Amino acid sequence: MSYYINSTDQYHKNDIDSLGWELTVCNSLEAENTPIRSILLNNETFGIQLFKFLKKYFDLKSISNILEVGGGYGFLMRDFFKFNDKVNSVMIDISEFLINKQKETLKGYDAVFLNRDIFEFGTDYFKNFEFIVLNENAGDFTTVCNINPKIISLPEDKITPVEKRIQRYFKEYSLERDFDKPFNFNIGIMELLEKMCISRVKNIFISEHSCEAEVPHEYSEYIDITSSKNPERILLKGHDEYTIKFSYLEAVAEKYNYKVIKGPFMDFIKINKSERINTILRSGLAVDDHEIIRHFIHDLIKYEYLLLINDK
């Protein structure tokens, strides 16, 4: 058995005391007077920009019940309430520390907080919700690493139970085998998405760092992102996460006849493109504001989202 399993459960249950070590795009856009807010076409929080984008695809005001899994500090759900103050929301998080932060942010709103592992819930539970959000956290779920590609075609009696689970996804969803060397597989988010799709949740939003990101042509002169197509390790304080292979998630959703909208964060967080931005990207100077801006624009490309809609 050459593979190993990466899990962040114990870190989030016992050790996390801040999100400052892994600053998300959502958190980075929270404060108003920052270098990155100054370069936006719309100087607004992450949530406001996201939900303005989502309302092009479905009616946010018609949502009665929303679930957010791993809601960070609660900023995204707070912004959702600005679009729909009648919604009933449930926040599920494995971290007691983050649940308490969410309670502070969402004080006075109609929200229920569950300090639970999302995998404790069966398929029927997800039928209670019209919209489920997993923002910038899919990489926290279990990843099986260093898998021998031969296991995809081996007889079941020749492989381990974990390898059988992985093999089933390749067979059942006709996943592309674009590798001939050991690979990593985001099994946790695959299993959770499968549950949600079986439940026929109407609207699902998932986002995370992608291992398939491509630089838009207008930025190709300034930004170099090489996508391995294989989930990549991200070293963080006290734990590791892995980037996501969104094409595999897309294959699961399409099997259940979901409409799929996919792209980079740049689709809804627009930069006010100017010669100043070009200069910052081109210069490579180690000036604080320039470094912050370059890193932020890089994240807007590297982070991808998957919006799934079941309108039948």
Side-chain angles (χ1 to χ4, degrees):
M1 183 177 72
S2 59
Y3 67 81
Y4 61 94
I5 295 175
N6 184 77
S7 172
T8 67
D9 287 4
Q10 290 308 307
Y11 170 76
H12 286 97
K13 286 179 180 178
N14 302 319
D15 300 328
I16 188 171
D17 57 8
S18 169
L19 284 177
W21 295 97
E22 46 182 305
L23 189 61
T24 63
V25 176
C26 181
N27 286 1
S28 69
L29 289 177
E30 182 61 18
E32 280 189 49
N33 300 313
T34 63
I36 56 176
R37 283 282 287 264
S38 72
I39 69 167
L40 300 181
L41 190 61
N42 299 302
N43 187 359
E44 298 169 318
T45 63
F46 178 91
I48 295 298
Q49 296 191 71
L50 171 62
F51 293 124
K52 283 183 176 179
F53 175 73
L54 294 182
K55 71 178 185 178
K56 299 175 184 177
Y57 298 99
F58 62 95
D59 183 7
L60 294 174
K61 291 186 178 297
S62 70
I63 302 295
S64 300
N65 297 286
I66 180 174
L67 166 64
E68 184 172 8
V69 181
Y73 289 159
F75 299 146
L76 193 62
M77 187 60 71
R78 177 207 60 201
D79 287 344
F80 184 84
F81 277 109
K82 295 176 183 178
F83 286 85
N84 182 345
D85 59 2
K86 306 297 184 186
V87 73
N88 299 306
S89 73
V90 175
M91 309 290 288
I92 295 179
D93 207 301
I94 199 172
S95 166
E96 183 178 7
F97 167 80
L98 290 175
I99 279 287
N100 289 334
K101 289 292 185 182
Q102 293 160 25
K103 287 177 180 178
E104 293 173 13
T105 302
L106 297 172
K107 186 176 181 180
Y109 291 104
D110 189 3
V112 173
F113 304 90
L114 301 177
N115 182 202
R116 302 269 298 276
D117 185 335
I118 192 63
F119 290 96
E120 296 174 18
F121 296 89
T123 301
D124 285 348
Y125 180 73
F126 299 111
K127 294 178 181 178
N128 297 313
F129 302 99
E130 298 153 274
F131 185 23
I132 297 181
V133 177
L134 294 97
N135 184 55
E136 300 184 85
N137 57 19
D140 288 310
F141 296 115
T142 299
T143 300
V144 185
C145 307
N146 199 44
I147 304 161
N148 187 334
K150 292 180 180 178
I151 69 105
I152 305 305
S153 54
L154 287 175
E156 287 192 7
D157 62 351
K158 300 294 185 183
I159 56 179
T160 68
V162 169
E163 290 169 334
K164 287 178 186 176
R165 288 160 62 193
I166 296 167
Q167 186 187 79
R168 179 181 75 82
Y169 280 103
F170 277 87
K171 291 181 176 179
E172 191 161 328
Y173 297 102
S174 302
L175 301 183
E176 290 186 10
R177 295 179 53 186
D178 51 0
F179 46 80
D180 56 6
K181 56 186 177 181
F183 67 99
N184 306 319
F185 190 77
N186 309 113
I187 195 167
I189 190 62
M190 292 287 282
E191 290 181 341
L192 182 55
L193 176 60
E194 187 177 46
K195 279 187 179 181
M196 293 189 291
C197 289
I198 290 171
S199 302
R200 308 304 296 162
V201 177
K202 285 187 177 181
N203 307 290
I204 302 168
F205 179 85
I206 298 171
S207 71
E208 185 55 285
H209 282 102
S210 169
C211 68
E212 300 171 308
E214 296 183 357
V215 180
H217 177 72
E218 61 183 305
Y219 289 95
S220 59
E221 180 183 350
Y222 314 111
I223 295 176
D224 180 26
I225 293 177
T226 302
S227 295
S228 67
K229 312 298 182 184
N230 181 31
E232 304 137 330
R233 183 185 182 193
I234 303 174
L235 282 75
L236 296 166
K237 182 190 176 186
H239 69 296
D240 295 339
E241 296 177 9
Y242 278 79
T243 60
I244 298 297
K245 194 171 179 71
F246 277 92
S247 59
Y248 284 179
L249 302 185
E250 189 175 4
V252 173
E254 289 177 341
K255 179 76 178 283
Y256 292 94
N257 298 312
Y258 275 81
K259 177 182 178 182
V260 176
I261 299 99
K262 182 174 75 169
F265 275 9
M266 232 170 216
D267 282 356
F268 59 90
I269 301 176
K270 304 289 188 181
I271 301 299
N272 188 11
K273 202 81 179 334
S274 65
E275 188 52 41
R276 173 177 174 252
I277 297 300
N278 291 341
T279 300
I280 289 172
L281 291 174
R282 188 186 300 118
S283 71
L285 294 174
V287 179
D288 284 349
D289 284 4
H290 289 199
E291 291 277 14
I292 291 168
I293 288 169
R294 280 196 297 269
H295 181 77
F296 176 71
I297 294 175
H298 183 280
D299 272 352
L300 293 187
I301 297 169
K302 189 68 176 176
Y303 271 100
E304 291 191 324
Y305 68 89
L306 199 66
L307 174 60
L308 309 177
I309 299 174
N310 169 28
D311 51 12
K312 295 180 181 178

